[in-house]
């Protein structure tokens, strides 16, 4: 029903693929309007979103938005939290 945070979706969007996802996870926090959304419990909603993605391709800003979420960025941010905990000043 949903993927947290939608790494496959982010990778697909970053490489120019039109993506469809559910709003039932956190992917909207990452891609915002750069993704087509559907209700995973509604076959008609899924069908329509997929048809739209096929017909219109990726959203113009999808690759750029997805590119902001890299493993390097996450590693730096996690490291900063650990360093903050160890020093007594969590960022």
């Amino acid at each position: 029903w949903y993927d947290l945070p939608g790494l496959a979706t982010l990778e697909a969007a970053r490489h120019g693929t039109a993506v469809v996802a559910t709003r039932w996870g956190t992917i909207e926090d990452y891609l915002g309007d750069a993704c087509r959304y559907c209700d995973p419990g509604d076959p008609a909603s899924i069908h329509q979103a997929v048809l739209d993605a096929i017909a219109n391709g990726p959203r113009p800003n999808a690759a750029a938005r997805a590119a902001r979420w890299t493993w390097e960025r996450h590693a730096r941010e996690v490291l900063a939290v650990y360093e903050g905990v160890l020093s007594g000043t969590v960022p």
Side-chain angles (χ1 to χ4, degrees):
W1 293 89
Y2 58 93
D3 188 12
L4 298 174
L7 294 176
T9 306
L10 287 171
E11 290 172 3
R14 184 172 186 183
H15 293 285
T17 302
V19 293
V20 174
T22 172
R23 293 183 192 270
W24 292 16
T26 59
I27 197 64
E28 190 171 10
D29 295 333
Y30 296 84
L31 290 180
D33 65 353
C35 180
R36 288 171 182 84
Y37 297 98
C38 65
D39 177 348
D42 180 359
S45 172
I46 297 167
H47 183 250
Q48 187 56 50
V50 170
L51 287 179
D52 184 44
I54 291 169
N56 298 303
R59 300 280 170 123
N61 58 339
R65 287 201 62 157
R68 297 184 342 203
W69 308 102
T70 65
W71 285 109
E72 292 80 12
R73 176 182 174 178
H74 291 296
R76 280 193 308 273
E77 291 179 8
V78 169
L79 179 61
V81 170
Y82 278 111
E83 289 172 341
V85 168
L86 292 173
S87 70
T89 59
V90 178

